[in-house]
Amino acid sequence: MNKQSFCIANWKMNKDYNESKEFLNQINKKDLSVSNSNIIICPSFISLSLASNKNRNISFGSQNVSSGTSKSQTGEISVEMLESVFCDWVIIGHSERRNILNETNEDISKKMELVYNSKLKPILCIGESLEEKNNNQTENVLVNQIKSSFSRIDFSKDKDILIAYEPIWAIGTGIAAEINIIDENMKLIKKIINNISTNNCNIYLLYGGSVNEYNASEIFNLSEINGFLIGGASLEVDSLYSIYKQI
Ligand code: PGA
């Protein structure tokens, strides 16, 4: 496969510091020259400092960043702090943060602006719930999420922006969305983005939601897909490596 590809591990609240270190030791023993895919590991904040051990084949992402710049935000992490540990990417707007932690489209657009204006690059998550899908609201939801996430960005800078389409009803279920639904919704997202003047930015589309070593190839073959945001299957070295090799 010749297209640019991203294999992103979203570890969520899994793996403590030692487990994260061990995973990195193990994956570094694998042959990371067999694919051109970019491996991006998104561990917890406490393990992000492992990113300082710069590895040419693996880059690191944070699972979140603060939406504000005031220092008076106990418990929050700023873009500058992430930059200081060689973190390159930030996941923004994951559905678990939107739904469990009440993150709004407004919060997400502020985070997108801060990250866009920093050295970091965003991995923006979008996707509809089962109820929204069943009520034929998918298109509306995706248009709103994309437009509002991009509302503070002028696209004047040359930057990679990843958009992960993650139907909420497929996350963590073990069953990815049907291939025709992924195809249809990726094309829809492409159409929405084509209507926005994204100038110098390179926008790549990813799929997330129960990706594993058995379904990765088929999904990756879809024309608009440039990779995956992977939860459960990214926790084992062998399954992440297997997906990486296939894309
Ligand atoms: P999953 O998680 O691969 O376990 O479905 C994906 C995600 O939440 O980003």
Side-chain angles (χ1 to χ4, degrees), residues 10 12 94-96 166 170-174 208-211 229-233:
N10 175 13
K12 310 188 179 184
H94 191 281
S95 59
E96 288 159 8
E166 299 203 301
I171 294 177
T173 59
S210 298
V211 173
L229 183 56
I230 311 156

